[in-house]
Amino acid sequence: FVPAGVVNLSLGGPGIGPFGQQAVEDALETGVIIVAAAGNSNSSAPHFPSDLPGVIKVGATDLLGNKAPYSNFGGNFIVAPGGNLAADANGDDIADGVISTVWNQVSDTPGYNLYQGTSMATPHVSGVISLMLSADADLTREQVMTILEETATVPPALAASPSGGRHLFFGVGIINAFQAVASAAGFSQTDPRIGIS
């Protein structure tokens, strides 16, 4: 039995029971990294389990890197692409959703569909963290969060923030998979072997 290193929680709501909270706390104590969706109410109201201490809370951006109109905000650690089915920002005649696997119960076959939500953004972050851990399995949650913060793409709204801290909508910024994994693997951002300048 090998315990999970990263747990993706694309779920949540306005409250959490004692058993759910205890399960999260127990998992965190074993070193598991928990990544959870911020919620889709365009609100700063508490959302659980993403608002529990130690959980990496993920908000959503649209195709252009703006806050997705539904994404909760305030307290997000980081944001990632979550889609916006009401838009077609690149003009390809396809709604700007995130492609996800589905099971067609009528034909009993697998397929794909477009969705939107912080539940779509959260797996982007969980996946990147998994890749980071494949590059360095000894990374702690704190080290992972530091790398994510140091490599995040900073939107203009965050760059203009006078406090230099987390942005109300974007947290530390938009996840940058390439730079986060490269950093976890020990490459500097100016290393010619990975072409970052």
Side-chain angles (χ1 to χ4, degrees), residues 38-39 42-45 51 57-61 66-68 71-79 118 154-173:
N42 189 29
S43 167
S44 61
D51 275 312
K57 182 176 181 179
V58 182
T61 59
N66 301 312
K67 173 190 168 296
S71 180
N72 283 3
F73 54 89
N76 292 343
F77 172 71
I78 199 163
V79 293
T118 57
V154 179
L158 179 55
S161 173
S163 68
R166 294 186 188 178
H167 188 271
L168 178 66
F169 293 156
F170 299 102
V172 299

Side-chain angles (χ1 to χ4, degrees), residues 31 35 43 74 101-102 108 124 135 141 153 169-170 177 183 193:
V35 188
S43 167
T101 55
V102 296
D108 199 31
H124 286 95
R141 182 181 65 85
T153 300
F169 293 156
F170 299 102
S183 180
R193 290 174 292 175

